[in-house]
Amino acid sequence: MTRTDPDTLARAQLQERLGSGARYDAPSAPAADLLLARRGTAYFARQLNSFTDAQLDGPSAFAGQTRRHVVAGVAFHARWLARLVAAARLGLEVETIVEPELMLEDIELAATLPAHALRYLFRHSEVHLSVEWRDLPDEGWLRTVRSLDGRSVRVDATPLMRAREIWEAARTLNGSWRSSDIPAAISGPPKPGVTSQ
């Protein structure tokens, strides 16, 4: 890109307006996939917020699971991806868990949390993931990290992994979503990025 590129100019103007304390995605970050993931997160949040606390006990579109299970699963997915991205940011080759309580990612247990705590779990996990993406330098996007369960995950694949997960979860909440709301890129074939060993 050149200095006269419209995207480069727009980015520079935005950074000037927001100041040096704001976080920005690295230039080499997969911008389109990040946008899909962030829009999916906002869509999921709207779906979630449309339910009363009592309605979270209702059935999801996934047999045998309540909406509570869907929310917990989405939150834990974000926490897992955040750990992978953090490992890449730190130059580590393997996912690392620093706080022992993060090992307790039990969806059945989390589904029993009070509704406000379950909502907070979702909110905190999505903010954490977004911050990790924004703090990842260019070279971090080129890394591959081995997850604790032995999968090799390309960090540049994590935004699309998240996008697919969160948009599908919004459908699974069994609320007022419409098929026309779901971006076509989400229903297409998955991009490579995760391999099992």
Side-chain angles (χ1 to χ4, degrees):
M1 286 192 298
T2 66
R3 294 235 178 240
T4 57
D5 180 280
D7 291 338
T8 302
L9 181 60
R11 181 188 299 261
Q13 290 170 340
L14 175 66
Q15 290 176 350
E16 186 176 328
R17 283 194 311 273
L18 296 180
S20 60
R23 288 183 161 115
Y24 309 97
D25 295 327
S28 64
D33 293 346
L34 283 166
L35 183 60
L36 272 175
R38 289 173 175 147
R39 284 183 175 164
T41 298
Y43 187 80
F44 182 89
R46 283 195 302 274
Q47 292 291 313
L48 176 59
N49 291 336
S50 72
F51 297 114
T52 65
D53 290 352
Q55 287 173 324
L56 291 179
D57 295 323
S60 73
F62 194 76
Q65 290 193 350
T66 67
R67 293 181 178 116
R68 291 173 158 278
H69 291 91
V70 175
V71 176
V74 160
F76 290 153
H77 183 260
R79 283 172 40 162
W80 173 61
L81 291 178
R83 287 194 304 268
L84 295 175
V85 177
R89 177 175 50 80
L90 296 170
L92 304 175
E93 294 180 3
V94 180
E95 175 187 359
T96 304
I97 294 184
V98 178
E99 298 116 353
E101 67 272 13
L102 292 184
M103 285 297 290
L104 300 175
E105 294 185 341
D106 183 324
I107 291 176
E108 289 296 330
L109 181 61
T112 67
L113 288 169
H116 72 277
L118 191 59
R119 292 175 192 274
Y120 178 78
L121 178 64
F122 163 70
R123 180 70 180 140
H124 181 269
S125 67
E126 63 98 356
V127 168
H128 181 200
L129 177 56
S130 189
V131 167
E132 287 294 347
W133 278 333
R134 289 227 163 106
D135 284 352
L136 191 62
D138 280 326
E139 63 273 13
W141 287 103
L142 303 174
R143 294 194 172 111
T144 296
V145 175
R146 184 168 302 283
S147 68
L148 292 177
D149 62 3
R151 290 181 285 176
S152 292
V153 181
R154 284 187 9 218
V155 174
D156 67 348
T158 60
L160 190 56
M161 290 167 64
R162 181 58 176 174
R164 289 183 186 281
E165 176 78 12
I166 196 93
W167 282 101
E168 180 58 32
R171 284 194 281 214
T172 306
L173 277 176
N174 210 14
S176 60
W177 71 278
R178 297 171 305 191
S179 58
S180 60
D181 294 340
I182 311 300
I186 296 303
S187 56
K191 287 184 181 177
V194 181
T195 58
S196 53
Q197 296 291 326

